[in-house]
Amino acid sequence: MAVINAFKMDGLGNDFIIIDQRSKIHDLTKEQIIKICDRKFFGCDQLIYIKKSKVTDATLEFYNSDGSQSGACGNGTRCVAYLLSKEPLISAKNEILLGTSSGIIKSKVLKDKIVETDIGVPKLNWDEIPLSQKIDTKNLNLKLIDNDNKEHYGGVAVNVGNPPVIFFLENIENINLSKIGPEIENHKLFPERCNITLAKIINKNLIKVKVWERGAGLTKACG
């Protein structure tokens, strides 16, 4: 039986199984990834590969719990950065650079178990997100129906390695995210699917959110 160097980590309630492939490659099938991510087995929001890189400290590959590949994840990157910061060759560095399919992500360990990750400037153009047609990304005019059958229209689309669609609402608890999440994730407007965030602005320093993540479903947080 092959021995796999793996870890389970958590970032803001977003949990990951991380497999280090730098010394030995263990490529898993889609079915194996789905099995590992299943909450009835090990269970996680995403599975992450750490791979060798000649350009950065490592390269990361992200896989959702449905076996599909994801571009990047801020929380997952923070977990890997913390893990790598314990290694002698990396611990002395001020920044940890990790390559992803969405670009190079910089992280800093501020103190024990506190990691800051710069996910870069959000992309706002319709074809960068991507959307299937050219429309105003600041208002997609998508309809939500709350638990009182009241209609809400909106949706702001950005790309931060993954494409979240954000709905700013007064009451995010009155929306059944388990129902509308998969509907919007698979909407024809999003050829690569999308994450859905319900957001309520508490004050200028605090925003409360509920998240549906493409390929994973309801998550406690999303990078």
Coordinates of all heavy atoms in Angstrom, one line a residue, residues 93-178:
K93 N 12.1 33.0 5.0 CA 11.6 33.9 4.0 C 10.5 34.9 4.6 O 9.7 34.5 5.4 CB 11.1 33.2 2.8 CG 12.1 32.4 2.1 CD 11.5 31.7 0.8 CE 12.6 31.0 0.0 NZ 12.0 30.5 -1.3
N94 N 10.5 36.1 4.0 CA 9.5 37.1 4.4 C 8.2 36.8 3.7 O 7.1 37.0 4.3 CB 9.9 38.5 4.1 CG 11.1 39.0 5.0 OD1 11.2 38.6 6.1 ND2 12.0 39.7 4.4
E95 N 8.3 36.2 2.5 CA 7.1 35.9 1.7 C 7.2 34.5 1.2 O 8.3 34.0 0.9 CB 7.0 36.8 0.5 CG 6.5 38.2 0.8 CD 6.2 39.0 -0.4 OE1 6.8 38.7 -1.5 OE2 5.4 39.9 -0.4
I96 N 6.0 33.8 1.1 CA 6.0 32.5 0.5 C 5.2 32.7 -0.8 O 4.1 33.2 -0.8 CB 5.2 31.5 1.5 CG1 6.0 31.4 2.8 CG2 5.1 30.2 0.8 CD1 5.3 30.7 3.9
L97 N 5.8 32.3 -1.9 CA 5.2 32.4 -3.2 C 4.7 31.0 -3.7 O 5.4 30.1 -3.7 CB 6.2 32.9 -4.2 CG 6.8 34.3 -3.9 CD1 7.8 34.7 -5.0 CD2 5.8 35.4 -3.7
L98 N 3.4 31.0 -4.0 CA 2.8 29.7 -4.4 C 2.1 29.9 -5.8 O 1.3 30.9 -6.0 CB 1.8 29.3 -3.4 CG 2.4 28.9 -2.0 CD1 1.3 28.7 -1.0 CD2 3.2 27.7 -2.1
G99 N 2.4 29.1 -6.7 CA 1.9 29.2 -8.1 C 0.5 28.5 -8.1 O 0.3 27.4 -7.5
T100 N -0.4 29.1 -8.9 CA -1.7 28.4 -9.1 C -2.1 28.7 -10.6 O -1.4 29.4 -11.3 CB -2.8 29.1 -8.2 OG1 -3.2 30.4 -8.7 CG2 -2.4 29.2 -6.8
S101 N -3.1 28.0 -11.0 CA -3.5 28.2 -12.4 C -4.0 29.7 -12.7 O -4.2 30.1 -13.8 CB -4.6 27.2 -12.8 OG -5.8 27.4 -12.0
S102 N -4.3 30.4 -11.6 CA -4.8 31.8 -11.7 C -3.7 32.8 -11.5 O -3.9 34.0 -11.5 CB -5.9 32.0 -10.6 OG -7.0 31.2 -10.9
G103 N -2.4 32.3 -11.3 CA -1.3 33.2 -11.1 C -0.6 32.9 -9.8 O -0.9 31.9 -9.1
I104 N 0.5 33.7 -9.5 CA 1.3 33.5 -8.3 C 0.6 34.3 -7.1 O 0.3 35.4 -7.3 CB 2.7 34.0 -8.5 CG1 3.4 33.2 -9.6 CG2 3.5 34.0 -7.2 CD1 4.8 33.6 -10.0
I105 N 0.5 33.6 -6.0 CA -0.1 34.2 -4.8 C 0.9 34.3 -3.7 O 1.7 33.4 -3.4 CB -1.3 33.3 -4.3 CG1 -2.4 33.2 -5.4 CG2 -1.8 33.8 -3.0 CD1 -3.5 32.3 -5.0
K106 N 1.0 35.5 -3.1 CA 2.0 35.8 -2.0 C 1.3 35.7 -0.7 O 0.2 36.1 -0.5 CB 2.5 37.2 -2.2 CG 3.2 37.5 -3.5 CD 3.7 38.9 -3.6 CE 4.3 39.2 -5.0 NZ 4.8 40.6 -5.1
S107 N 2.0 35.0 0.3 CA 1.5 34.9 1.6 C 2.6 35.3 2.6 O 3.8 35.1 2.3 CB 1.1 33.5 1.9 OG 0.0 33.1 1.1
K108 N 2.2 35.7 3.8 CA 3.1 36.0 4.9 C 2.5 35.4 6.2 O 1.3 35.5 6.4 CB 3.3 37.6 5.1 CG 3.9 38.3 4.0 CD 4.1 39.8 4.3 CE 4.7 40.6 3.2 NZ 4.8 42.0 3.6
V109 N 3.4 34.8 7.0 CA 3.0 34.3 8.3 C 3.2 35.5 9.3 O 4.4 35.9 9.5 CB 3.8 33.1 8.7 CG1 3.4 32.6 10.1 CG2 3.6 32.0 7.7
L110 N 2.2 36.1 9.8 CA 2.3 37.2 10.7 C 2.6 36.8 12.1 O 3.4 37.5 12.7 CB 0.9 38.0 10.7 CG 0.5 38.5 9.3 CD1 -0.8 39.3 9.4 CD2 1.5 39.3 8.6
K111 N 2.0 35.8 12.5 CA 2.4 35.2 13.8 C 1.8 33.7 13.8 O 1.3 33.3 12.8 CB 1.8 36.0 15.0 CG 0.3 36.2 15.0 CD -0.1 37.0 16.2 CE -1.6 37.3 16.2 NZ -2.0 38.1 17.3
D112 N 2.0 33.0 14.9 CA 1.6 31.6 14.9 C 0.2 31.4 14.5 O -0.7 32.0 15.1 CB 1.9 31.0 16.3 CG 1.7 29.5 16.2 OD1 2.2 28.8 15.3 OD2 1.1 28.9 17.2
K113 N 0.0 30.7 13.4 CA -1.3 30.3 12.9 C -2.1 31.5 12.3 O -3.3 31.4 12.0 CB -2.2 29.6 13.9 CG -1.6 28.2 14.3 CD -2.5 27.5 15.3 CE -1.8 26.1 15.6 NZ -2.7 25.4 16.6
I114 N -1.5 32.6 12.1 CA -2.1 33.8 11.5 C -1.3 34.1 10.2 O -0.2 34.4 10.2 CB -2.1 35.1 12.4 CG1 -2.7 34.8 13.7 CG2 -2.7 36.2 11.6 CD1 -4.2 34.5 13.6
V115 N -2.0 33.8 9.0 CA -1.4 34.0 7.7 C -2.2 34.9 6.9 O -3.4 34.9 6.8 CB -1.3 32.6 7.0 CG1 -0.6 32.7 5.7 CG2 -0.6 31.6 7.9
E116 N -1.4 35.8 6.3 CA -2.0 36.8 5.3 C -1.7 36.4 3.9 O -0.5 36.2 3.6 CB -1.4 38.2 5.6 CG -1.8 39.3 4.7 CD -1.1 40.6 5.0 OE1 0.0 40.8 4.4 OE2 -1.6 41.4 5.8
T117 N -2.7 36.4 3.1 CA -2.6 36.0 1.7 C -3.1 37.1 0.8 O -4.3 37.5 1.0 CB -3.2 34.7 1.4 OG1 -2.5 33.6 2.0 CG2 -3.2 34.4 -0.1
D118 N -2.3 37.5 -0.2 CA -2.7 38.6 -1.1 C -3.3 37.9 -2.4 O -2.5 37.3 -3.1 CB -1.5 39.4 -1.5 CG -1.9 40.6 -2.5 OD1 -3.1 40.6 -2.9 OD2 -1.0 41.4 -2.8
I119 N -4.6 37.9 -2.6 CA -5.2 37.2 -3.7 C -5.2 38.1 -5.0 O -5.7 37.7 -6.0 CB -6.6 36.7 -3.4 CG1 -7.5 37.9 -3.0 CG2 -6.6 35.7 -2.3 CD1 -9.0 37.5 -2.8
G120 N -4.6 39.3 -4.9 CA -4.5 40.1 -6.0 C -5.7 41.0 -6.3 O -6.7 41.1 -5.5
V121 N -5.7 41.8 -7.4 CA -6.7 42.7 -7.7 C -7.9 41.9 -8.4 O -7.6 41.1 -9.3 CB -6.2 43.8 -8.7 CG1 -7.3 44.7 -9.1 CG2 -5.1 44.6 -8.0
P122 N -9.1 42.1 -8.0 CA -10.2 41.4 -8.6 C -10.4 41.8 -10.1 O -10.1 42.9 -10.5 CB -11.4 41.8 -7.8 CG -10.9 42.3 -6.5 CD -9.6 42.9 -6.8
K123 N -10.7 40.8 -10.9 CA -11.0 41.0 -12.3 C -12.5 41.3 -12.4 O -13.3 40.6 -11.9 CB -10.6 39.8 -13.2 CG -9.1 39.5 -13.1 CD -8.8 38.2 -13.9 CE -7.3 37.9 -13.8 NZ -7.0 36.6 -14.4
L124 N -12.8 42.4 -13.2 CA -14.2 42.8 -13.3 C -14.8 42.8 -14.7 O -16.0 42.9 -14.8 CB -14.3 44.3 -12.8 CG -13.8 44.5 -11.3 CD1 -13.8 46.0 -11.0 CD2 -14.6 43.7 -10.3
N125 N -14.0 42.5 -15.7 CA -14.5 42.5 -17.1 C -15.3 41.2 -17.3 O -14.9 40.1 -16.8 CB -13.4 42.6 -18.1 CG -12.7 43.9 -18.1 OD1 -13.3 44.9 -17.7 ND2 -11.4 44.0 -18.4
W126 N -16.3 41.3 -18.1 CA -17.2 40.1 -18.2 C -16.5 38.9 -18.8 O -16.8 37.8 -18.4 CB -18.4 40.5 -19.2 CG -18.0 40.7 -20.6 CD1 -17.4 41.8 -21.2 CD2 -18.0 39.7 -21.7 NE1 -17.2 41.6 -22.5 CE2 -17.5 40.3 -22.8 CE3 -18.5 38.4 -21.7 CZ2 -17.4 39.6 -24.0 CZ3 -18.4 37.7 -22.9 CH2 -17.9 38.3 -24.1
D127 N -15.5 39.1 -19.7 CA -14.8 37.9 -20.3 C -13.7 37.4 -19.4 O -13.1 36.4 -19.7 CB -14.3 38.3 -21.7 CG -13.4 39.6 -21.7 OD1 -13.4 40.3 -20.6 OD2 -12.7 39.8 -22.6
E128 N -13.4 38.1 -18.3 CA -12.4 37.6 -17.4 C -13.0 36.8 -16.3 O -12.2 36.0 -15.6 CB -11.6 38.8 -16.7 CG -10.8 39.7 -17.7 CD -10.2 40.9 -17.0 OE1 -10.9 41.5 -16.2 OE2 -9.0 41.1 -17.3
I129 N -14.3 36.9 -16.1 CA -14.9 36.2 -15.0 C -15.0 34.6 -15.1 O -14.5 33.9 -14.2 CB -16.2 36.8 -14.7 CG1 -15.9 38.2 -14.1 CG2 -17.1 36.0 -13.7 CD1 -17.1 39.1 -13.9
P130 N -15.3 34.0 -16.2 CA -16.0 34.6 -17.4 C -17.5 34.5 -17.4 O -18.1 33.6 -16.7 CB -15.4 33.7 -18.5 CG -15.3 32.4 -17.9 CD -15.0 32.6 -16.4
L131 N -18.1 35.4 -18.2 CA -19.6 35.3 -18.4 C -19.8 34.9 -19.9 O -18.9 35.0 -20.7 CB -20.2 36.6 -18.2 CG -20.1 37.2 -16.7 CD1 -20.8 38.6 -16.7 CD2 -20.6 36.3 -15.7
S132 N -21.0 34.4 -20.1 CA -21.2 33.9 -21.5 C -21.7 35.0 -22.4 O -21.8 34.8 -23.6 CB -22.4 32.8 -21.4 OG -23.5 33.4 -20.9
Q133 N -21.9 36.2 -21.9 CA -22.3 37.3 -22.7 C -21.8 38.6 -22.1 O -21.6 38.7 -20.9 CB -23.8 37.4 -22.9 CG -24.6 37.6 -21.7 CD -26.1 37.5 -21.9 OE1 -26.6 36.4 -22.1 NE2 -26.8 38.7 -21.9
K134 N -21.7 39.7 -22.9 CA -21.2 41.0 -22.4 C -22.4 41.7 -21.7 O -23.3 42.2 -22.4 CB -20.6 41.8 -23.5 CG -20.0 43.1 -23.1 CD -19.4 43.8 -24.3 CE -18.7 45.1 -23.9 NZ -18.1 45.9 -25.0
I135 N -22.3 41.8 -20.4 CA -23.3 42.6 -19.6 C -22.6 43.3 -18.5 O -21.4 43.1 -18.2 CB -24.4 41.7 -19.0 CG1 -23.8 40.6 -18.1 CG2 -25.2 41.0 -20.2 CD1 -24.9 39.8 -17.4
D136 N -23.3 44.1 -17.8 CA -22.8 44.9 -16.7 C -22.5 43.9 -15.5 O -23.4 43.4 -14.9 CB -23.8 46.0 -16.2 CG -23.3 46.9 -15.1 OD1 -22.1 46.7 -14.7 OD2 -24.0 47.7 -14.6
T137 N -21.2 43.8 -15.1 CA -20.8 42.8 -14.1 C -21.2 43.4 -12.7 O -21.2 42.6 -11.7 CB -19.3 42.5 -14.1 OG1 -18.6 43.7 -14.0 CG2 -19.0 41.8 -15.4
K138 N -21.5 44.7 -12.6 CA -21.9 45.2 -11.3 C -23.3 45.0 -11.0 O -23.8 45.3 -9.8 CB -21.5 46.7 -11.3 CG -20.0 47.0 -11.4 CD -19.8 48.5 -11.4 CE -18.3 48.8 -11.5 NZ -18.0 50.3 -11.6
N139 N -24.1 44.6 -12.0 CA -25.5 44.3 -11.7 C -25.9 43.3 -12.8 O -26.3 43.6 -13.9 CB -26.4 45.5 -11.8 CG -27.8 45.2 -11.5 OD1 -28.2 44.1 -11.1 ND2 -28.7 46.2 -11.7
L140 N -25.9 42.0 -12.4 CA -26.3 40.9 -13.4 C -27.8 40.8 -13.5 O -28.3 40.1 -14.4 CB -25.7 39.6 -12.9 CG -24.2 39.5 -12.7 CD1 -23.8 38.1 -12.3 CD2 -23.5 39.9 -14.0
N141 N -28.5 41.5 -12.6 CA -30.0 41.5 -12.7 C -30.5 40.1 -12.5 O -31.5 39.7 -13.2 CB -30.5 42.1 -14.0 CG -31.9 42.6 -13.8 OD1 -32.4 43.0 -12.8 ND2 -32.7 42.5 -14.9
L142 N -29.9 39.2 -11.7 CA -30.4 37.9 -11.4 C -31.4 38.0 -10.3 O -31.3 38.8 -9.4 CB -29.2 37.0 -11.0 CG -28.2 36.7 -12.1 CD1 -27.0 35.9 -11.5 CD2 -28.8 35.9 -13.2
K143 N -32.4 37.1 -10.4 CA -33.5 37.1 -9.5 C -33.3 36.1 -8.3 O -33.0 34.9 -8.6 CB -34.8 36.8 -10.2 CG -36.0 36.8 -9.3 CD -37.3 36.8 -10.0 CE -37.6 35.4 -10.6 NZ -38.9 35.2 -11.3
L144 N -33.5 36.5 -7.1 CA -33.6 35.7 -6.0 C -35.0 35.8 -5.4 O -35.6 36.9 -5.4 CB -32.6 36.1 -4.9 CG -31.1 36.1 -5.2 CD1 -30.3 36.5 -4.0 CD2 -30.6 34.7 -5.7
I145 N -35.5 34.7 -4.9 CA -36.8 34.7 -4.2 C -36.6 34.2 -2.8 O -36.0 33.2 -2.5 CB -37.8 33.8 -4.9 CG1 -38.0 34.2 -6.3 CG2 -39.1 33.7 -4.1 CD1 -39.0 33.3 -7.1
D146 N -36.9 35.1 -1.8 CA -36.7 34.8 -0.4 C -37.8 33.8 0.1 O -38.7 33.4 -0.6 CB -36.5 36.0 0.4 CG -37.8 36.9 0.5 OD1 -38.9 36.4 0.3 OD2 -37.6 38.1 0.8
N147 N -37.7 33.5 1.4 CA -38.6 32.6 2.0 C -40.0 33.1 2.1 O -41.0 32.4 2.5 CB -38.1 32.2 3.4 CG -36.8 31.4 3.3 OD1 -36.5 30.8 2.3 ND2 -36.0 31.5 4.4
D148 N -40.2 34.4 1.9 CA -41.5 35.1 1.9 C -42.0 35.3 0.5 O -43.0 36.1 0.3 CB -41.5 36.4 2.7 CG -41.0 36.2 4.2 OD1 -41.5 35.2 4.8 OD2 -40.2 37.0 4.7
N149 N -41.3 34.7 -0.4 CA -41.7 34.8 -1.9 C -41.5 36.2 -2.4 O -42.1 36.6 -3.4 CB -43.1 34.4 -2.1 CG -43.3 32.8 -2.1 OD1 -42.4 32.1 -2.5 ND2 -44.4 32.4 -1.5
K150 N -40.7 37.0 -1.7 CA -40.3 38.4 -2.2 C -39.1 38.3 -3.2 O -38.2 37.5 -2.9 CB -40.0 39.3 -1.1 CG -39.7 40.7 -1.5 CD -39.4 41.6 -0.3 CE -39.0 43.0 -0.7 NZ -38.7 43.9 0.5
E151 N -39.2 39.0 -4.3 CA -38.2 38.9 -5.3 C -37.1 40.0 -5.0 O -37.4 41.1 -4.6 CB -38.8 39.1 -6.7 CG -39.7 38.0 -7.1 CD -40.3 38.3 -8.5 OE1 -40.1 39.4 -9.1 OE2 -41.0 37.4 -9.0
H152 N -35.8 39.5 -5.3 CA -34.7 40.4 -5.1 C -33.9 40.3 -6.4 O -33.6 39.2 -6.9 CB -33.8 40.1 -4.0 CG -34.5 40.0 -2.6 ND1 -34.6 41.1 -1.8 CD2 -35.3 39.1 -2.0 CE1 -35.3 40.8 -0.7 NE2 -35.7 39.6 -0.8
Y153 N -33.4 41.4 -7.0 CA -32.6 41.4 -8.2 C -31.2 42.0 -8.0 O -31.1 43.0 -7.2 CB -33.3 42.2 -9.3 CG -34.6 41.5 -9.8 CD1 -35.8 41.7 -9.2 CD2 -34.6 40.7 -10.9 CE1 -37.0 41.1 -9.6 CE2 -35.7 40.1 -11.4 CZ -36.9 40.3 -10.7 OH -38.0 39.6 -11.2
G154 N -30.2 41.5 -8.6 CA -28.9 42.0 -8.5 C -27.8 41.0 -8.8 O -28.0 40.1 -9.7
G155 N -26.7 41.0 -8.1 CA -25.6 40.2 -8.4 C -24.4 40.9 -8.9 O -24.5 41.5 -10.0
V156 N -23.3 40.9 -8.2 CA -22.1 41.5 -8.7 C -21.1 40.4 -9.0 O -20.8 39.6 -8.1 CB -21.5 42.5 -7.6 CG1 -20.2 43.1 -8.1 CG2 -22.5 43.6 -7.3
A157 N -20.5 40.4 -10.2 CA -19.6 39.3 -10.6 C -18.1 39.8 -10.6 O -17.8 40.9 -11.1 CB -20.0 38.8 -11.9
V158 N -17.3 39.0 -9.9 CA -15.8 39.3 -10.0 C -15.1 38.0 -10.1 O -15.7 36.9 -10.1 CB -15.4 40.0 -8.7 CG1 -16.1 41.3 -8.4 CG2 -15.6 39.1 -7.5
N159 N -13.8 38.1 -10.4 CA -12.9 36.9 -10.4 C -11.7 37.2 -9.5 O -11.0 38.1 -9.7 CB -12.5 36.6 -11.8 CG -11.7 35.3 -11.9 OD1 -10.9 35.0 -11.1 ND2 -12.0 34.5 -13.0
V160 N -11.6 36.4 -8.5 CA -10.4 36.5 -7.6 C -9.7 35.1 -7.5 O -9.3 34.6 -6.5 CB -10.9 36.9 -6.2 CG1 -11.3 38.3 -6.1 CG2 -12.1 36.0 -5.7
G161 N -9.6 34.5 -8.7 CA -9.1 33.1 -8.8 C -10.2 32.2 -9.0 O -10.1 31.2 -9.7
N162 N -11.3 32.4 -8.3 CA -12.6 31.8 -8.5 C -13.6 32.9 -8.8 O -13.4 34.0 -8.4 CB -13.0 31.0 -7.3 CG -12.3 29.6 -7.2 OD1 -12.1 29.0 -8.2 ND2 -11.9 29.3 -6.0
P163 N -14.7 32.6 -9.5 CA -15.7 33.6 -9.8 C -16.9 33.7 -8.9 O -17.8 32.9 -9.1 CB -16.1 33.2 -11.2 CG -16.0 31.7 -11.3 CD -14.9 31.3 -10.3
P164 N -16.8 34.5 -7.8 CA -18.0 34.6 -7.0 C -19.0 35.6 -7.5 O -18.6 36.6 -8.2 CB -17.4 35.1 -5.7 CG -16.2 35.9 -6.0 CD -15.6 35.2 -7.3
V165 N -20.3 35.4 -7.3 CA -21.3 36.3 -7.6 C -21.9 36.8 -6.2 O -22.3 35.9 -5.4 CB -22.4 35.7 -8.5 CG1 -23.6 36.7 -8.7 CG2 -21.8 35.4 -9.8
I166 N -21.9 38.1 -6.0 CA -22.2 38.6 -4.6 C -23.6 39.3 -4.7 O -23.8 40.2 -5.5 CB -21.1 39.5 -4.1 CG1 -19.8 38.9 -4.2 CG2 -21.4 40.0 -2.7 CD1 -18.6 39.8 -4.2
F167 N -24.4 38.9 -3.8 CA -25.7 39.6 -3.6 C -25.7 40.3 -2.3 O -25.6 39.7 -1.2 CB -26.9 38.6 -3.7 CG -27.1 37.9 -5.0 CD1 -26.4 36.7 -5.3 CD2 -27.9 38.4 -5.9 CE1 -26.5 36.0 -6.5 CE2 -28.1 37.7 -7.2 CZ -27.4 36.6 -7.4
F168 N -25.9 41.6 -2.3 CA -26.0 42.4 -1.1 C -27.4 42.6 -0.7 O -28.3 43.1 -1.5 CB -25.3 43.8 -1.3 CG -23.8 43.8 -1.5 CD1 -23.3 43.7 -2.8 CD2 -23.0 43.8 -0.4 CE1 -21.9 43.7 -3.0 CE2 -21.6 43.7 -0.6 CZ -21.1 43.7 -1.9
L169 N -27.7 42.1 0.5 CA -29.1 42.0 1.0 C -29.2 42.5 2.4 O -28.2 42.5 3.2 CB -29.6 40.5 0.9 CG -29.5 39.8 -0.4 CD1 -29.6 38.3 -0.2 CD2 -30.6 40.3 -1.3
E170 N -30.4 42.9 2.8 CA -30.7 43.3 4.1 C -30.8 42.1 5.1 O -30.4 42.2 6.3 CB -31.9 44.2 4.2 CG -31.8 45.5 3.6 CD -30.8 46.4 4.4 OE1 -30.8 46.3 5.7 OE2 -30.0 47.1 3.8
N171 N -31.3 41.0 4.6 CA -31.5 39.8 5.4 C -31.1 38.6 4.6 O -31.8 38.0 3.8 CB -33.0 39.7 5.8 CG -33.3 38.5 6.7 OD1 -32.3 37.8 7.1 ND2 -34.5 38.3 7.1
I172 N -29.8 38.1 4.9 CA -29.3 37.0 4.2 C -29.8 35.6 4.8 O -29.7 34.6 4.1 CB -27.8 36.9 4.2 CG1 -27.2 36.8 5.6 CG2 -27.2 38.2 3.5 CD1 -25.7 36.7 5.7
E173 N -30.4 35.7 6.0 CA -31.0 34.5 6.6 C -32.3 34.1 6.0 O -32.8 33.0 6.1 CB -31.1 34.7 8.1 CG -29.9 35.1 8.8 CD -28.8 34.1 8.7 OE1 -29.1 32.9 8.5 OE2 -27.6 34.5 8.8
N174 N -32.9 35.0 5.2 CA -34.2 34.7 4.7 C -34.2 34.2 3.3 O -35.2 34.1 2.5 CB -35.1 36.0 4.7 CG -36.6 35.7 4.6 OD1 -37.1 34.7 5.1 ND2 -37.3 36.5 3.9
I175 N -33.0 33.8 2.9 CA -32.8 33.2 1.5 C -32.3 31.7 1.7 O -31.4 31.4 2.5 CB -31.7 33.9 0.7 CG1 -32.0 35.4 0.5 CG2 -31.4 33.2 -0.6 CD1 -33.1 35.6 -0.5
N176 N -33.0 30.8 1.0 CA -32.6 29.4 1.1 C -31.4 29.1 0.2 O -31.6 28.8 -1.0 CB -33.8 28.5 0.8 CG -33.5 27.0 0.9 OD1 -32.4 26.6 1.1 ND2 -34.5 26.2 0.9
L177 N -30.2 29.3 0.7 CA -29.0 29.2 -0.2 C -28.8 27.8 -0.7 O -28.3 27.6 -1.8 CB -27.8 29.6 0.6 CG -26.5 29.8 -0.2 CD1 -26.7 30.7 -1.4 CD2 -25.4 30.3 0.7
S178 N -29.3 26.8 0.0 CA -29.2 25.4 -0.4 C -30.0 25.2 -1.7 O -29.7 24.3 -2.6 CB -29.7 24.4 0.6 OG -28.9 24.4 1.8

